[in-house]
Amino acid sequence: MPHHGDPEVAFRETLAQDRARIDAAIERLSGEETKAERFLLALAGAWGRPVPCRVSLGRRLPPVAPTERGVKCVARWVSAASPDVQRAALSALEKAGVVSRPVLGTVADALASKEPIVRLAAARVLARAAPCPEQAPALRRALSDELFTVRWLAVEALARSGDEHPLAPVLAASRPRLDARLAAYRLESWLRAVATVGRDASALLPEMNELLDRISALSRSDTSWHESRFMIERLVRELRATQGAP
């Protein structure tokens, strides 16, 4: 029998409380909640990476599995008046991954928002959730978005949906400039889009080779730039291999 103060018992109790907290958040979001952003962010955290458990040093609570009811309650807030609430809802749906597929029509509508943060958040959801053909028209329009990152995410989403729209030219036209103002994560976002295009990305080999030459010549201590270089090298090898394949 576990004695009083047993860490395992405390952990199970905390786990049950966490599940109850998320169920309560979904219930609140199904109504006319005035503090929706708070509950949406709670869901995003619970559906995402594990969070520290206060009762057990070094132990983390596991993610809560998103449910269809949960994502439908969250999707109600994608069209909220506040861009911050919209972004919080889309962040939760991004963490839900493929479970959010039943509400991707609502997410695709958000690609037409005048708010850049909302369009970007919507594009992230669609890139992660493998959209259906019904979302293709909205994603094709997003290929000309003023934000390069939205274009790259739209490419990812279309490529993963099997859409036949030519995507390599979009990436060639919006290749990030490698200079002091470029953050490594932006370059990696473009590279992820290149990787999803597959064999058609061989048309981007000149751009990739140029990027590889320039990034290799840079003197940067940030390890993220080294990771970008390795990613470019791998992609170049794969694309060259596809050129030689029948």
Side-chain angles (χ1 to χ4, degrees):
M1 293 289 293
H3 59 78
H4 180 71
D6 188 323
E8 186 61 33
V9 172
F11 179 79
R12 288 200 300 269
E13 290 176 350
T14 303
L15 189 60
Q17 292 169 2
D18 188 57
R19 297 295 187 269
R21 177 177 66 91
I22 297 309
D23 288 342
I26 292 172
E27 192 63 36
R28 296 286 292 267
L29 291 169
S30 66
E32 297 304 316
E33 176 56 51
T34 57
K35 298 180 180 179
E37 186 177 0
R38 168 189 170 188
F39 295 105
L40 290 166
L41 291 175
L43 283 179
W47 290 347
R49 57 183 177 270
V51 296
C53 176
R54 296 179 181 177
V55 301
S56 181
L57 185 63
R59 196 164 183 184
R60 293 175 176 271
L61 292 172
V64 175
T67 62
E68 184 173 347
R69 179 174 183 261
V71 298
K72 286 182 177 179
C73 288
V74 169
R76 296 178 62 244
W77 300 93
V78 171
S79 56
S82 166
D84 290 331
V85 172
Q86 290 180 280
R87 181 171 58 174
L90 290 163
S91 177
L93 293 176
E94 180 187 356
K95 300 299 188 302
V98 295
V99 183
S100 65
R101 293 192 75 183
V103 300
L104 290 187
T106 300
V107 175
D109 291 341
L111 289 173
S113 172
K114 65 179 182 179
E115 299 290 342
I117 60 169
V118 174
R119 299 199 309 275
L120 184 57
R124 286 198 183 103
V125 177
L126 291 161
R128 305 292 178 259
C132 304
E134 290 81 0
Q135 285 90 55
L139 285 165
R140 289 174 186 165
R141 289 191 293 272
L143 294 175
S144 57
D145 194 278
E146 64 180 15
L147 295 180
F148 285 164
T149 309
V150 171
R151 299 186 208 176
W152 303 337
L153 290 166
V155 165
E156 277 194 67
L158 286 167
R160 290 187 171 131
S161 70
D163 191 79
E164 297 182 355
H165 189 90
L167 300 172
V170 177
L171 295 176
S174 60
R175 188 194 73 180
R177 296 180 179 178
L178 195 59
D179 57 30
R181 294 175 296 175
L182 177 67
Y185 76 90
R186 291 190 181 277
L187 176 58
E188 290 175 7
S189 178
W190 184 80
L191 292 172
R192 282 196 304 271
V194 172
T196 61
V197 172
R199 187 168 185 164
D200 290 345
S202 59
L204 296 168
L205 266 173
E207 286 84 0
M208 300 287 288
N209 284 321
E210 182 184 345
L211 275 173
L212 185 57
D213 289 342
R214 295 191 62 188
I215 202 169
S216 298
L218 290 175
S219 175
R220 296 182 184 269
S221 59
D222 190 339
T223 56
S224 60
W225 287 101
H226 297 299
E227 292 170 2
S228 297
R229 188 183 77 247
F230 296 148
M231 190 173 182
I232 296 173
E233 290 172 344
R234 177 177 58 79
L235 285 172
V236 167
R237 285 196 302 271
E238 292 174 355
L239 294 177
R240 285 174 179 167
T242 61
Q243 284 188 323

